[in-house]
Amino acid sequence: MRYLPLTQQERADMLARIGVAGIDDLFADIPKEKLLTALPDLPRRKSEMEVERLMGALAARNVAAGGVPFFCGAGAYKHHIPASVDHIIQRSEFLTSYTPYQPEIAQGTLQYLFEFQTQVARLTQMDVANASMYDGSTGCAEAVLMAHRVTRRRKAIVSGGLHPHYVETTRTVSDMAGDALVALPPDVRASEDIIAAIDKDTSCVVVQTPDVFGNLRDLAPIAAACQAQGALLIAVFTEAVSLGLVKPPGAMGADIVVGEGQSIGNALNFGGPYVGLFATRDKYVRQMPGRLAGETVDARGQRGFVLTLSTREQHIRREKATSNICTNSGLCALAFTIHMTLLGGRGLAELARVNHANAVKLAEALARVPNVEVVNRSFFNEFTLRTPGEAATLVEKMAARGVLAGVPVSRLAPNAGLDDLLIVANTEINTDDDRAAFVAALQGALAR
Amino acid sequence: MTIRYSKDHEYIRVDGDVGVVGISDHAQSQLGDVVFVELPDVGRKLTAGGEAAVVESVKAASEVYAPVGGEVVAVNEALTDAPGTVNEDALGAGWFMKIKIADKAELDKLMDQAAYDAYLKTLG
Amino acid sequence: MNNQGRTTRIGEQADAQHKTFTGARALEANEPLIFEFGRNDVTGVDIDAPGAFTARLGALAREGAPDLPGLTEPEAVRHYVRLSRMNYSIDAGLFPLGSCTMKHNPRLNEKMARLPGFADIHPLQPQSTARGALALMDQLSHWLLELTGMDAVALTPKAGAHGELCGMMAIKAAIVARGEAEQRRVVLVPDSAHGTNPATAALIGFEVRAVPAGADGLVRAEAVRAALGPDVAAIMLTNPNTCGLFEREVVAIAEAVHEAGAYFYADGANFNAIVGKTRPGDLGVDAMHINLHKTFSTPHGGGGPGAGPVVLSGRLAAFAPVPFLRKEGDGVALVEDRAATQAFGRMSAFHGQMGMYVRAFAYMLSHGADGLKQASEDAVLNANYIRASLRDLFSQPFGDKPCMHEVLFDESWLKDTGLSTLDFAKALIDEGYHPMTVYFPLVVKGAMLIEPTESESKASLDLFCMTMRDLALRIKRGQGEPFHSAPHFAPRARLDETRAARQPVLKWTARKPSVAAQ
């Protein structure tokens, strides 16, 4: 077997050195009757070539985003990733290292995490960011738990513009922990009055911008209302590229910012692994979940980095930890950092502008198509289209015409009575030809 | 002024109705470099044996329990910026809080210096 | 006459204290932060400006570009390559980190994960356009169930601790469904457990009751029975446990737990020792997470991303979170809507760590049933070989007896030498090794937990053991003084963690000049 270096002779020699007769003597603590006598029902070992053939056939049964005009978003976005990003993250020293528990021989990881934290803090205009979460949705659930710790209250109010999967993820944790969660109904036009829902028991208000329907939301009045009641404002975004063009949540008064960082440096991967961004104010840093890299000096006086404030974490606090999280999303955070470094603030702004321009162009083209309507007043690179019938059916019909047109709202919120709505994203990858194909496929599908 | 110790290594230095509470020199040396101290709010009512504060070193965190019941009348704010004081002067400048003692009889359940020293020897 | 000749003698021994102008030491750079040399007006990505258009941002456009420096591609590549060279990695050497399972990461798996049909598909594109992805998830699920002897699997948890949370949530949901939520509020956790276990239980409102391990490091069924009662919801038991030992009384423990009406959660962090040898389902386990990044070798990536699917017994299967796969026609479909199911909820957006499923799938295909079993046996053999090679010089907390995939030593052999486990670990760094796991499990004083994995050759193990022996002998001869200040040859000497925690500097700022101050 190509991954197992021991020869039969070596195995025998080693057993002799150990002083046992056979390998099963080393498994003697397993009750005899529970030892497997036959091999598990899996195929036998396969060569590289065979594995490639089998898995290539599976992969070929999927329609890859890069092969068709592609408009799916709603929390995961297809962007172009510079070739150097994947090259660097595949370096052995990054790919096959562990959590930097021995900082003397892990400065590479620790320094990029420090750079990542600084980038995220600046991007969101917050004081401090952690070294990443699993993804945006789990980060959102963690932010609510953190707000409960800070405010010592246990009720969260969740906007109807928050991604329904984020709502469900957060609700699951809240329900299990015995906390209260009030979720406003899906809010397609960003017209809800969330401020009216805030009271003295409110621990936090969770608002997404751009929201799941694509609308941009002004957080400043909500932040003021939160402050008046002693609640925290948790701002969420799922499209990190938007921060190149729209006002950052930190500038609108958010207390905690949670975002999905996939858009920058990370492939779609059918939903994961992604990377959660998490930032807050200095005064809350000890209540923040997740790992933190910090600067210090070594015994020779050289600058170096270590994981710090780890007493918040589970391996020391056990049942009193701020969270049960062990891992972050290290390699995805590295991909984010490299791509972000290549872009710089200027490149991100330019990229965001192209995204917005492309979405505007499609919205304008759709304004000329009868029987459909863009419902948003504002948007960044995705908007919601009202269609004459079921959006899910329309998407299937358009897929049959070779266009992946977007995400039907019914896929995310199946029982909300919003079956006629389609979330459509445009990024820098979409060409004028793609948009023409979208319009043609839409008209073709609607005509039949 | 008398000093009493708990089995959890808190001390209380009694001065009239008020006791100054901190962690013993043994406790600070076991923890290692103290990096953070979380203190209770002034005015909080504590019960004997209840959680009163948290003290953290780089690799360990530990609850500090109230050796006797009473109301917190002062906390040592200086520890927020200089937690290392706990290591340097646990019994002096490294105090955590002052408690207005509710029931002085509770002091009798604690150890005096000699008893505490003997107790430490049993811990090896 | 040729006048190109020059001296090739190596000269005098260079002074170790010799200072360079750049702060570099030959191949090892002294690399600044991007904020110290990047420029805000530079970008390494060429983007064509869009034509004229009317913005639709409402009044929420930001002023100016984000305050972030950029680098061109050559600068960025050099920067991150230089950083990478300060990292130890499994590709570069033995990584004996106990309980972490640093085995070889086959590159084929990386190649497969990057096939556009897997990497470039959107989680919410029509299921009809992702049949191959769903088929892979379905096949992976079946294999995980076959290897564990369980009934259902929740694939979505994003890491081990997240899987633990998922499993405990399934248990809580089952208890709620039985109408016993008020009554059963306690979770039993052995004191040797990993810190995530009590953290997870507490997070969802359980109280933690510790169960002491016996003097041999094993949990006794008797001790569990004594702690069980009508208030107990579950036990969380790691098996093989954190001391590298198989819990011999696991079947009796499971029976006692079930008799008391509670559930058995197994922490599957060490499943890699027993794949193909025994099945948790056969031992009475109700829920167990599997760290794909340990047992099935998806890369650790410097601390993630991981993946922590949870397998469930028939008693808990109905409560598995959405999304899950259901047979439909001759294929499978994802059930994403919680309505009309007993699912307890959702662990995260979308469908979990597909990129990790693909890698684990390639690993399982490559190994096959025979290779997976051989891998477990080799992992256990290697650990015991290390034990046999070191047992005369190092001390074992529970005596010299066979271990599973990792061998545990304590620091009693260092008594009166003035040196600690930490010093020993740092000395290993100078020898070119990543240290073993130290000070874990907490129940063993100065623990050294060594997990070689099946990826090591006999020659590699021999050299490692000789190194360990040499260090130990030097200490025993009283020559251990230099270890106090080890490592001497790493990119950094020991770092001041007290300073990092007392005055946290968690991001770079222009105002506060960095301590580097070169």
Side-chain angles (χ1 to χ4, degrees), chain A residues 333-395:
Chain A
L334 175 61
F336 177 99
T337 285
I338 299 167
H339 193 182
M340 195 71 241
T341 298
L342 285 165
L343 285 165
R346 189 183 124 187
L348 183 68
E350 289 173 357
L351 178 65
R353 221 174 123 70
V354 174
N355 273 254
H356 185 47
N358 283 351
V360 169
K361 281 187 217 167
L362 183 62
E364 285 171 355
L366 289 170
R368 296 189 288 272
V369 177
N371 300 324
V372 299
E373 174 207 2
V374 173
V375 301
N376 302 55
R377 280 184 295 232
S378 66
F379 58 83
F380 168 60
N381 69 355
E382 96 186 298
F383 52 76
T384 298
L385 190 68
R386 190 182 303 285
T387 68
E390 284 193 355
T393 314
L394 184 67
V395 164

Side-chain angles (χ1 to χ4, degrees), chain A residues 142-156:
Chain A
E142 289 281 353
V144 168
L145 290 174
M146 171 176 156
H148 293 350
R149 289 192 297 271
V150 168
T151 61
R152 297 192 182 136
R153 301 175 185 178
R154 298 181 72 179
K155 184 171 91 178

